Amino acid sequence: MQAVMLRDVEVMRPRTLDEALRLLDRAHREGVRLRPMAGCTDVLVDAHFGKALPERFLDVWGLRKELGGLRWTEAGLVIGATCTYAEALETPKFVAELPALAKAASQVGARQIQARGTFAGNVENASPAADAAPMLLALDAQVKLASLQGVRTVPLLNYWSGYRQTVRRPDELITAIVVPAAALGSQGQWFRKVGTRAYQAITKVGLASRLQWQGGKLVDVRLAAISMAATPKRCATLETYLKGRELATIDAAELRHAQAVDLQPIDDVRSNATYRAEVFARLVEQALRETHLATAH
Amino acid sequence: MSADHPALDPREAARPRVRIRVTVNGTAREIDVAPMQRLLDVLRNDLHLTGTKEGCGEGECGACSVLLAGRPVNSCLVPAVHADGQEITTIEGLAQHGAMHAVQKAFVKAGSAQCGICTPGMVVTAAWLVDSHKGQAVPEPEIRAHLAGNLCRCTGYGQIVEAVVDALQQQATEG
Ligand SMILES: Cc1cc2nc3c(=O)[nH]c(=O)nc-3n(C[C@H](O)[C@H](O)[C@H](O)COP(=O)(O)OP(=O)(O)OC[C@H]3O[C@@H](n4cnc5c(N)ncnc54)[C@H](O)[C@@H]3O)c2cc1C
Ligand code: FES
Ligand code: FES
């Protein structure tokens, strides 16, 4: 079989979203793979490593007028499918209302990657080591999908169906990621990635979280683990253990016990299970301390 | 081989081509390219601008950095179609009317290059940093963060950061 080379690949360049959806629909009915491409920071790396290329790409980047930018609505913040990390970071309101997502965005690759990489691409790429996607998960974000059949909204909680898999149908396009209004400017947003260095480093282990305290008690807990499972993952057992507690009643051993129910990290080229588990537990402890301290003032 | 003698490769005629219009270092160009061809290859092979280097080909090293629509990008990760209608600045376009950019002068002065493979990309990113912070003080950690996508295996970065600090000061005193 002849491998498809980059110079053989065709790019469909629709001028409107409507045209894009028609092209996807036709390709889907004819059984042809038509893969969307935005900033191409994942797509062209796949090509570089010789992963099987589809014969055709659908260029979403060219739809920036329709799908670009940030829009504040009653429902929340609509992050357009082609909105890049750099664009978001240059928007003071974004940084002010979503400080932990801004921190995650500012640590994706380095400036060159941030100029091209999109939030939507990060979500659809479905890497367990993604940085922005798990923070969006901790913010209760939703994925807006469009096709000729109509539009639907899927909470990120149900979006990743397995390792590098999503529930998006091949005839659907992500049009936006929506961060609900309740999460904007909310208390206790916290993110930290641990990699080999500060930039250009894939996360070995990380925590994207939202911890809301009231009267010294944790009233709302969202913990999303990075590089600890096959997908970015919310930690149901840990969250249940923590909810309603005061900082002083959180026991390190019980915390690690609950964590072990939710997360069974693996050994791989970037790190090993023991390191990941211990560092993750300490990230949870650090997040608890720091968000608690922030509300004590 | 097939690039020089397209007729010899029967698949060449069937390959997809698109015409893109780009402004490279101030000059408008129209070129026929394969749509997914890397901007890096368009610059080096079609436009013969070989100052831009290929290190890793996967977005890690920054040797291929150019400015696209005013921002540094890894040209190895930009498909040709995304350059259509855009302005591109490569290392060849930084000097104006024969005068080196402040960053280039500062690199020479500080001795910021050894083997030189990272230098074009490093200078392009550094020039963007300096030009986008006119008259501002940029703390060293910020400088390092801006340059984090450009890896250098020789210098240890000391003389590079020194040159950027110098260029920022030059810009400030020149107003
Ligand atoms: C050197 C380097 C460093 C990196 N560092 C990090 C890092 O630190 N943290 C991190 O999280 N990621 C990192 N990445 C990965 C990557 O940059 C991000 O995942 C980025 O957000 C992808 O966005 P993109 O627009 O470039 O996606 P693309 O490459 O264009 O697409 C990614 C996937 O999403 C699909 N897609 C894109 N847009 C749509 C749409 N609208 N609808 C449906 N499907 C769509 C594509 O088909 C593809 O499967 C790095 C990559 C490189 C090369
Ligand atoms: S060659 Fe493009 S980043 Fe290394
Ligand atoms: S001078 Fe050799 S890699 Fe930087």
Side-chain angles (χ1 to χ4, degrees):
Chain A
M1 202 181 87
Q2 182 80 42
V4 179
M5 312 279 284
L6 271 186
R7 60 181 181 203
D8 295 319
V9 174
E10 268 190 69
V11 178
M12 320 284 283
R13 300 166 79 191
R15 274 155 305 170
T16 62
L17 173 61
D18 188 61
E19 198 184 330
L21 298 183
R22 279 172 207 287
L23 288 168
L24 278 175
D25 187 72
R26 200 174 73 205
H28 186 48
R29 277 187 287 109
E30 289 170 358
V32 180
R33 262 183 83 197
L34 182 58
R35 188 170 166 197
M37 61 185 224
C40 296
T41 60
D42 284 314
V43 158
L44 278 175
V45 172
D46 286 356
H48 179 77
F49 285 107
K51 288 210 187 125
L53 280 169
E55 282 172 19
R56 278 193 198 124
F57 278 100
L58 178 83
D59 188 28
V60 183
W61 188 257
L63 299 175
R64 289 198 299 295
K65 281 216 179 82
E66 235 172 314
L67 299 182
L70 299 168
R71 222 158 24 89
W72 274 264
T73 68
E74 223 156 88
L77 171 62
V78 180
I79 304 175
T82 60
C83 177
T84 62
Y85 302 115
E87 275 174 69
L89 289 168
E90 280 165 14
T91 310
K93 192 169 152 113
F94 173 88
V95 180
E97 292 185 353
L98 296 168
L101 185 59
K103 185 177 177 192
S106 74
Q107 294 181 353
V108 172
R111 295 298 189 270
Q112 289 90 331
I113 297 293
Q114 290 159 23
R116 297 273 302 159
T118 62
F119 293 91
N122 197 237
V123 163
E124 185 59 28
N125 191 50
S127 163
D131 292 313
M135 194 57 226
L136 287 164
L137 174 62
L139 292 164
D140 297 331
Q142 302 182 321
V143 184
K144 284 194 91 166
L145 294 162
S147 72
L148 284 193
Q149 316 305 314
V151 295
R152 62 176 179 136
T153 303
V154 182
L156 263 184
L157 197 57
N158 307 327
Y159 196 68
W160 297 296
S161 47
Y163 178 67
R164 306 298 301 269
Q165 281 178 334
T166 74
V167 300
R168 183 179 70 87
R169 296 193 315 262
D171 64 325
E172 285 178 313
L173 202 63
I174 299 179
T175 54
I177 311 288
V178 183
V179 180
L184 301 175
S186 64
Q187 198 206 89
Q189 301 175 38
W190 197 92
F191 174 89
R192 185 172 171 193
K193 74 185 262 187
V194 177
T196 305
R197 50 190 184 274
Y199 296 93
Q200 290 295 60
I202 305 286
T203 301
K204 294 177 192 215
V205 41
L207 172 65
S209 57
R210 197 142 60 101
L211 298 161
Q212 298 181 278
W213 300 84
Q214 223 168 64
K217 282 202 177 87
L218 255 184
V219 288
D220 236 329
V221 191
R222 287 171 186 77
L223 300 169
I226 308 175
S227 282
M228 292 290 286
T231 64
K233 195 177 171 211
R234 279 280 294 270
C235 309
T237 315
L238 252 181
E239 291 178 5
T240 309
Y241 168 72
L242 289 170
K243 200 162 175 179
R245 275 182 195 274
E246 293 181 4
L247 192 61
T249 70
I250 297 167
D251 177 77
E254 285 174 3
L255 193 117
R256 281 162 176 76
H257 189 74
Q259 177 188 317
V261 180
D262 290 327
L263 303 166
Q264 297 87 39
I266 57 165
D267 294 345
D268 65 15
V269 288
R270 281 189 208 108
S271 189
N272 64 57
T274 315
Y275 177 86
R276 285 184 158 125
E278 182 53 27
V279 172
F280 186 80
R282 291 184 187 221
L283 289 176
V284 173
E285 289 167 347
Q286 187 188 3
L288 288 166
R289 275 196 314 272
E290 290 185 4
T291 56
H292 180 264
L293 195 66
T295 54
H297 291 292
Chain B
M1 175 80 173
S2 60
D4 298 327
H5 306 280
L8 296 184
D9 186 343
R11 281 174 309 173
E12 201 58 49
R15 289 206 162 109
R17 306 292 285 181
V18 287
R19 171 153 298 189
I20 60 168
R21 292 173 181 80
V22 288
T23 302
V24 182
N25 300 330
T27 307
R29 309 286 295 256
E30 275 191 28
I31 6 169
D32 289 327
V33 294
M36 276 304 262
Q37 202 173 323
R38 307 177 306 170
L39 175 59
L40 173 65
D41 299 324
V42 175
L43 293 170
R44 289 181 55 87
N45 303 341
D46 296 272
L47 299 175
H48 308 294
L49 293 168
T50 53
T52 304
K53 304 302 179 204
E54 172 161 14
C56 63
E58 50 167 286
E60 294 283 352
C61 74
C64 65
S65 298
V66 301
L67 302 186
L68 176 67
R71 294 180 200 278
V73 298
N74 300 308
S75 62
C76 68
L77 295 185
V78 177
V81 287
H82 284 182
D84 194 15
Q86 303 295 323
E87 286 200 18
I88 298 160
T89 304
T90 69
I91 185 69
E92 289 91 345
L94 286 185
Q96 295 290 326
H97 314 294
M100 285 195 290
H101 187 280
V103 163
Q104 292 174 305
K105 286 185 203 154
F107 265 59
V108 173
K109 196 165 121 200
S112 313
Q114 285 182 33
C115 81
I117 188 76
C118 74
T119 311
M122 190 72 82
V123 169
V124 164
T125 308
W128 164 76
L129 160 59
V130 168
D131 291 345
S132 58
H133 291 79
K134 281 216 169 105
Q136 295 170 38
V138 187
E140 189 184 315
E142 255 313 283
I143 295 177
R144 289 184 181 269
H146 276 80
L147 298 179
N150 293 85
L151 304 187
C152 175
R153 300 292 287 168
C154 300
T155 64
Y157 303 98
Q159 300 97 317
I160 291 171
V161 174
E162 194 185 309
V164 173
V165 170
D166 183 26
L168 280 163
Q169 276 167 359
Q170 294 302 324
Q171 289 253 12
T173 51
E174 280 162 27

